[in-house]
Amino acid sequence: MSHVSLENSEPFLKCFEVLAEDKSCIVSDSVLYFSGKTGKGFITVAGIASGIEVLAVNLSQLTEDLTFHFLPSASASSYLLCFDEIDVPGKGDSDLALAQSTEASRQFHSTVSIVDVVKGKTVTYPKDRIIRSLIVRVKRQSLEHLIHDFDAGTISTILQSTGNEATLTWPITFKYRLLLDDFMAEIIQHPFRELFTIRNISILIEYLLQQFFVMNKLSQDGNSLSTQDTHSLSRVEQHLCLHYKKEFPGIEKLSRISAMSPTSLKTKFKKYYGETLFGYYQKNKLEHARKLLDNKVPVKVVATEIGYSNPSHFTLAFKKEYGFSPWHYLNPH
Amino acid sequence: MKPQHPVQTVRALHWHQLQLPVGLQAAAIKVSVDGLELAQPTFDPNGLVLTFINHKGDLHVRPVGRPQAEEQPASPGLGLLSVATQPLLYRSSAPILFSALVLYIPVAWIDLFIRDNAQFEKIGQILEQEGNIVTCRLGRRQMSLFSAALGLLQENPGDLLSIQNNLLSLLEYFLCNRHRSLLGVNPSSDIDNEDDLTLIREVESYISEYYCSDTFTVDSILKKTYTSYHRLNFLFKSIHGMTISEYIRNKRIEKSKEMIADNAKSISQIAYEIGYSSISNYILAFKKVYQITPGKYKKQIDNMV
């Protein structure tokens, strides 16, 4: 198990020194590549110029857990925003794997969180998982600069009211997943790295705030969910996201996965994610389609790719969601 | 030329302006007027201005203070990058529905995020020449970002983060996908994407090689080039002004016309040789292109000789 400890005053880049020492890693141009002996993938640091530091972790097949300690610092006035997506490899293939991973996923599941640096934070990346994670260290001042003063005020009030933990955590949604996908795919060779980073972080913060206010409202109304429910729901959410190429699994299967009754699953999912089960599945599916279309993949191919047997069904669904057909999406003028 | 319609004065047109948290400035406008003569809001002269426009009607653009002769027609759904010292002027002498988003990028911001980049250096070189504008066409994704940002700026300017995200995405797209400069390129051609152009050239050479074969179909092109019929048709229409089957037919008929003029073969022979399986189809097609049957055409040529 390897540890990296960072003071608040130290730049994220410093963790490369520690990692490069005891691992067989290659560091080049602020990217640290894992060579394959201890894991695959890369860790990179971005956003230094803008004062919003980003540590992007895109790793799989780690042979041992990797832990980052962000040491608490009483004088610091920064937040740590963490966007973690942790998947079990090959999980999509069988229900058996799903059942086996239940125990593990209770411990390491995909979440987004805000932490006050005063309290510090420990992030552990488990071995044998697919990890995509962004850790953003942003000065309170910059965050307030980035959003309304009012919103920033609310966040700090709520963070203080959570007492010792000073952490707000929510399950991840498909929007984050898609953005993390994009980010990891492009960050290394993007020609405008800093611009790309600030753009993505700004969008992530927008998602985070939207979620923050929905969750805040729910808990004010006395509708906050138990930890058990949260885990169950995020398992369902993960299943829907992973299996977007297959047919909609059906409410019965989902209720088995979540160990909830169909009715309570439906109502709770809607409340928590703001979408019905099918609506959520469909939105995610069509976002994938839209990304394919952005890459100029022909409509017919896209339809097959995301699991439609009939292209006109795909066209209809696409039109219903976005208001224009895939063909018009490709040729707007 | 003075427009005949009453023109709304520039003052009456109102730009919605906004300071974004990341340090950019934004302004938006959406108007429907009988005639347009509108200058961009002025910003601090150190920096760049990126404008996204969309409109229904006829629009011309030039930097303020330049002679009208240097005006360029602008197509809808366009991003224009110019230096802040030369705000752009939009003019239309006909009724127009015009919307624009202006993004001011201060020089400090450029230093921080964009400079030290080969691609940006090229853009910078073009901009250094006086009065130059760098343009880029927007795709559907960008058009929806554009209209979302425009709507928010006008109706819900409090939602800074959404506006900022839309604009940052547009900016990134512009910098990554700029394909040509407005000046020196024929603006009437709708295709400015190099991939599309190569595709069309490829298809054209394929057609000119095989169009006389009777097994040649549009389907065989689609299979070869991995495009859809609609997409190819769309590209052909924007470049040649005709559908792909019309293009093929015209090529065949042109060839047959030459063959008739050679006077070496009978019309039925020619029809089979250029790939028609029935003579009546060929005659119909010939008539469509030249408004005369091939037989009559042959007679005309014979008479002339």
Side-chain angles (χ1 to χ4, degrees):
Chain A
M1 191 146 164
S2 44
H3 292 272
V4 182
S5 297
L6 275 180
E7 296 278 355
N8 185 52
S9 52
E10 289 171 324
F12 280 172
L13 205 56
K14 176 133 190 292
C15 71
F16 283 10
E17 292 171 22
V18 183
L19 280 172
E21 250 174 46
D22 61 326
K23 299 232 174 235
S24 45
C25 299
I26 306 149
V27 182
S28 108
D29 196 22
S30 70
V31 183
L32 180 135
Y33 297 94
F34 278 61
S35 62
K37 278 179 208 158
T38 48
K40 276 185 182 169
F42 63 85
I43 299 180
T44 181
V45 171
I48 300 155
S50 54
I52 298 176
E53 274 192 277
V54 182
L55 183 75
V57 179
N58 185 16
L59 291 174
S60 61
Q61 300 172 17
L62 283 177
T63 51
E64 52 187 5
D65 291 358
L66 175 62
T67 309
F68 286 88
H69 292 295
F70 298 97
L71 301 172
S73 148
S75 60
S77 66
S78 302
Y79 293 119
L80 280 178
L81 315 179
C82 305
F83 307 89
D84 303 320
E85 194 196 350
I86 298 172
D87 283 336
V88 180
K91 184 176 166 178
D93 298 338
S94 72
D95 289 346
L96 189 71
L98 192 76
Q100 281 171 347
S101 70
T102 312
E103 239 1 84
S105 67
R106 201 159 291 173
Q107 205 180 345
F108 307 110
H109 50 277
S110 309
T111 54
V112 294
S113 60
I114 310 181
V115 192
D116 198 321
V117 167
V118 173
K119 301 292 177 191
K121 163 108 177 159
T122 303
V123 185
T124 303
Y125 299 117
K127 59 180 184 179
D128 299 331
R129 296 283 188 278
I130 301 168
I131 300 149
R132 266 173 301 198
S133 169
L134 282 177
I135 297 174
V136 183
R137 183 164 63 192
V138 51
K139 289 222 166 62
R140 191 170 297 171
Q141 206 184 339
S142 319
L143 189 67
E144 276 160 24
H145 201 50
L146 208 61
I147 58 183
H148 302 265
D149 295 342
F150 168 74
D151 293 350
T154 324
I155 290 181
S156 60
T157 321
I158 291 182
L159 272 176
Q160 275 156 18
S161 71
T162 53
N164 273 338
E165 290 182 14
T167 309
L168 292 172
T169 308
W170 307 294
I172 204 163
T173 68
F174 76 90
K175 284 183 180 175
Y176 297 106
R177 290 177 194 274
L178 286 163
L179 202 73
L180 284 174
D181 269 0
D182 280 352
F183 190 84
M184 295 308 174
E186 287 185 47
I187 180 65
I188 297 254
Q189 17 75 2
H190 198 277
F192 299 93
R193 208 178 143 102
E194 288 289 311
L195 177 63
F196 178 74
T197 310
I198 183 93
R199 199 254 303 176
N200 280 291
I201 297 305
S202 182
I203 295 178
L204 280 172
I205 291 176
E206 189 191 348
Y207 292 167
L208 192 66
L209 285 177
Q210 282 170 357
Q211 203 177 7
F212 174 80
F213 287 108
V214 171
M215 294 300 161
N216 191 28
K217 181 140 196 324
L218 279 175
S219 70
Q220 273 173 1
D221 297 349
N223 276 330
S224 44
L225 290 162
S226 67
T227 338
Q228 176 67 44
D229 280 351
T230 315
H231 287 325
S232 307
L233 285 179
S234 58
R235 270 209 301 283
V236 171
E237 189 269 345
Q238 193 172 23
H239 186 87
L240 288 177
C241 280
L242 280 176
H243 298 265
Y244 72 93
K245 285 185 184 177
K246 295 186 190 160
E247 262 178 57
F248 182 65
I251 196 86
E252 266 143 44
K253 184 167 184 200
L254 294 176
S255 97
R256 264 210 311 284
I257 291 171
S258 62
M260 286 163 114
S261 82
T263 325
S264 77
L265 171 63
K266 274 190 252 180
T267 39
K268 282 181 177 163
F269 192 91
K270 177 82 199 284
K271 216 182 262 170
Y272 221 44
Y273 289 96
E275 289 284 338
T276 60
L277 287 160
F278 184 76
Y280 191 88
Y281 160 85
Q282 186 80 344
K283 278 213 161 75
N284 175 47
K285 192 174 175 124
L286 291 172
E287 275 299 303
H288 278 277
R290 202 177 54 70
K291 266 165 70 179
L292 286 174
L293 289 174
D294 281 338
N295 295 331
K296 302 213 163 133
V297 179
V299 179
K300 267 185 205 168
V301 181
V302 174
T304 335
E305 188 64 29
I306 63 161
Y308 278 97
S309 52
N310 186 340
S312 42
H313 291 170
F314 163 61
T315 305
L316 270 178
F318 191 94
K319 200 165 177 182
K320 199 171 161 198
E321 172 69 27
Y322 298 108
F324 38 76
S325 67
W327 160 244
H328 283 103
Y329 182 75
L330 286 171
N331 305 296
H333 300 291
Chain B
M1 195 183 81
K2 278 265 165 199
Q4 284 153 3
H5 299 278
V7 180
Q8 227 173 314
T9 56
V10 179
R11 256 167 285 124
L13 300 175
H14 176 60
W15 289 91
H16 296 258
Q17 292 206 34
L18 199 65
Q19 177 81 39
L20 295 176
V22 284
L24 302 170
Q25 268 171 276
I29 198 165
K30 186 173 188 178
V31 286
S32 175
V33 286
D34 288 338
L36 185 74
E37 185 144 0
L38 177 67
Q40 269 173 0
T42 43
F43 297 102
D44 191 280
N46 288 320
L48 297 176
V49 178
L50 178 59
T51 315
F52 299 97
I53 54 166
N54 194 19
H55 56 85
K56 279 203 177 86
D58 198 28
L59 186 74
H60 290 78
V61 58
R62 69 164 192 267
V64 168
R66 311 284 296 179
Q68 193 158 343
E70 286 183 24
E71 264 186 358
Q72 295 286 332
S75 54
L78 210 59
L80 308 120
L81 186 69
S82 57
V83 284
T85 42
Q86 292 189 318
L88 299 179
L89 183 83
Y90 301 96
R91 192 188 61 80
S92 164
S93 46
I96 188 168
L97 178 65
F98 176 73
S99 49
L101 265 179
V102 184
L103 190 63
Y104 167 67
I105 313 161
V107 73
W109 210 88
I110 296 170
D111 287 340
L112 207 55
F113 288 102
I114 322 179
R115 211 176 302 273
D116 298 332
N117 180 302
Q119 190 153 9
F120 183 72
E121 270 168 29
K122 262 185 245 160
I123 298 177
Q125 282 165 10
I126 300 172
L127 284 173
E128 267 169 27
Q129 297 160 29
E130 209 177 327
N132 260 0
I133 307 166
V134 179
T135 68
C136 166
R137 284 177 68 82
L138 305 180
R140 167 64 77 173
R141 176 92 185 106
Q142 287 71 43
M143 291 306 288
S144 53
L145 291 173
F146 171 84
S147 39
L150 192 74
L152 283 171
L153 255 161
Q154 288 184 313
E155 281 145 34
N156 193 4
D159 199 352
L160 282 180
L161 210 50
S162 294
I163 298 170
Q164 171 173 305
N165 290 340
N166 287 333
L167 285 169
L168 282 176
S169 303
L170 280 169
L171 172 63
E172 190 190 322
Y173 170 83
F174 183 92
L175 291 173
C176 293
N177 289 279
R178 196 204 62 83
H179 286 305
R180 57 165 190 168
S181 88
L182 180 68
L183 304 178
V185 178
N186 176 15
S188 69
S189 160
D190 267 352
I191 307 292
D192 56 0
N193 185 321
E194 277 146 36
D195 293 349
D196 289 345
L197 281 177
T198 20
L199 173 71
I200 289 292
R201 300 284 164 255
E202 205 179 297
V203 172
E204 277 170 6
S205 71
Y206 183 76
I207 290 176
S208 54
E209 200 173 325
Y210 291 107
Y211 70 98
C212 288
S213 134
D214 55 348
T215 54
F216 173 81
T217 56
V218 178
D219 263 355
S220 64
I221 304 176
L222 301 183
K223 274 193 193 126
K224 208 177 149 62
T225 55
Y226 196 56
T227 35
S228 79
Y229 178 70
H230 291 283
R231 168 140 199 86
L232 202 58
N233 242 349
F234 168 79
L235 293 177
F236 256 81
K237 265 211 160 146
S238 26
I239 285 192
H240 295 291
M242 55 179 100
T243 65
I244 182 154
S245 29
E246 277 170 342
Y247 177 84
I248 295 169
R249 184 193 65 200
N250 285 4
K251 261 203 115 126
R252 283 177 167 175
I253 298 300
E254 252 169 58
K255 168 102 180 172
S256 81
K257 196 177 161 194
E258 282 167 26
M259 287 164 92
I260 293 173
D262 286 347
N263 206 5
K265 284 164 187 162
S266 76
I267 284 171
S268 54
Q269 235 176 338
I270 291 172
Y272 290 125
E273 260 177 45
I274 60 164
Y276 278 91
S277 51
S278 96
I279 304 172
S280 53
N281 275 351
Y282 164 65
I283 293 176
L284 274 176
F286 194 95
K287 221 174 148 183
K288 239 187 199 151
V289 179
Y290 294 111
Q291 287 84 40
I292 188 173
T293 62
K296 278 187 186 154
Y297 177 73
K298 195 172 178 169
K299 258 182 205 155
Q300 269 182 10
I301 291 191
D302 290 346
N303 287 345
M304 264 156 48
V305 174

